[in-house]
């Protein structure tokens, strides 16, 4: 329907469209019927490809061969595997030790910022990122620091929005996926 709407709008403005792959020219088109059929086929092909990609990703989750593109603080990517970044790993261990001592996430973040410990991230304006209570909370709840991995913590819904996975989709737990920073 989006395709037909756009074709109608552009045709109404005097703009003709030529679809090379299908060899359709809207200026010489007798009716929209063929375009409707081809647009429907293209949409179904897109859904099929998307479904195949989701299936392949789930299979990589199940076998533990899924490769993440962004590694948690304390790690670096080496040959598509997590390798411990010892300088950052020392900070990770300090954070977990502070939590075990009873310090709150806000206090830990404040101490790290006061000491000038970099987060490894940048703000939108390009300046160094800061430690926050939320960042610390995410770290201490991330199983990756134990060397294990939990896949599909989030998913993209039908409206292309990233959602937290609270049982909506299967999750995949892989023990011994990478080197552990903490026990």
């Amino acid at each position: 329907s989006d395709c037909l709407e756009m074709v109608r709008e552009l045709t109404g403005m005097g703009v003709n469209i030529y679809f090379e792959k299908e060899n359709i020219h809207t200026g010489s088109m007798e009716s929209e019927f063929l375009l409707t059929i081809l647009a429907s086929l293209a949409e179904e092909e897109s859904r099929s490809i998307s479904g195949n990609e989701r299936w392949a990703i789930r299979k990589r989750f199940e076998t533990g061969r899924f490769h993440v593109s962004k590694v948690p603080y304390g790690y670096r990517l080496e040959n598509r595997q997590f390798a411990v970044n010892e300088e950052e790993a020392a900070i990770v261990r300090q954070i977990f030790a502070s939590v075990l001592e009873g310090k709150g996430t806000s206090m830990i973040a404040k101490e790290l910022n006061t000491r000038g410990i970099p987060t490894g991230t940048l703000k939108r304006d390009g300046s160094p990122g800061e430690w926050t209570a939320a960042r610390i909370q995410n770290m201490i709840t991330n199983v990756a620091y134990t060397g294990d991995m939990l896949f599909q913590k989030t998913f993209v819904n039908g409206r292309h929005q990233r959602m937290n996975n609270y049982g909506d989709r299967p999750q995949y737990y892989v023990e011994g996926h990478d080197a552990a920073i903490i026990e």
Side-chain angles (χ1 to χ4, degrees):
S1 65
D2 290 341
C3 176
L4 289 176
E5 271 183 46
M6 288 307 225
V7 168
R8 287 177 186 143
E9 186 175 335
L10 290 170
T11 304
M13 298 163 81
V15 177
N16 294 322
I17 305 166
Y18 177 66
F19 296 91
E20 290 181 349
K21 184 179 173 189
E22 294 81 10
N23 197 24
I24 297 175
H25 191 278
T26 60
S28 61
M29 211 168 52
E30 301 275 328
S31 76
E32 295 177 345
F33 183 68
L34 182 59
L35 185 58
T36 303
I37 291 171
L38 291 173
S40 296
L41 290 172
E43 182 177 357
E44 194 53 43
E45 180 181 8
S46 177
R47 281 192 188 136
S48 175
I49 290 169
S50 178
N52 291 342
E53 288 176 5
R54 279 194 307 275
W55 179 86
I57 289 169
R58 277 195 302 272
K59 287 298 172 191
R60 289 196 302 270
F61 284 157
E62 289 173 7
T63 61
R65 294 182 297 137
F66 183 78
H67 299 290
V68 298
S69 57
K70 185 174 183 248
V71 296
Y73 184 86
Y75 291 100
R76 67 181 182 283
L77 273 180
E78 234 175 59
N79 297 322
R80 299 183 82 168
Q81 297 291 319
F82 286 9
V84 176
N85 175 331
E86 283 303 330
E87 188 176 312
E88 291 180 356
I91 302 301
V92 171
R93 291 183 193 102
Q94 288 174 17
I95 290 169
F96 277 87
S98 294
V99 169
L100 291 174
E101 290 171 5
K103 289 184 182 175
T105 55
S106 295
M107 181 183 285
I108 296 168
K110 184 177 179 182
E111 288 175 1
L112 292 171
N113 287 325
T114 301
R115 290 173 41 202
I117 305 295
T119 63
T121 62
L122 298 174
K123 294 181 183 177
R124 287 191 174 131
D125 65 3
S127 63
E130 295 178 353
W131 292 98
T132 63
R135 184 178 300 239
I136 301 297
Q137 182 67 35
N138 287 339
M139 287 179 72
I140 63 176
T141 58
N142 190 344
V143 70
Y145 292 110
T146 65
D148 297 344
M149 190 62 70
L150 178 62
F151 292 119
Q152 198 155 345
K153 291 184 265 191
T154 63
F155 65 95
V156 177
N157 69 10
R159 295 186 308 266
H160 304 288
Q161 299 167 319
R162 181 155 303 278
M163 309 288 290
N164 287 326
N165 185 0
Y166 297 113
D168 303 291
R169 304 281 192 280
Q171 291 185 328
Y172 304 90
Y173 192 89
V174 180
E175 292 181 358
H177 188 270
D178 295 294
I181 292 179
I182 62 158
E183 293 180 10

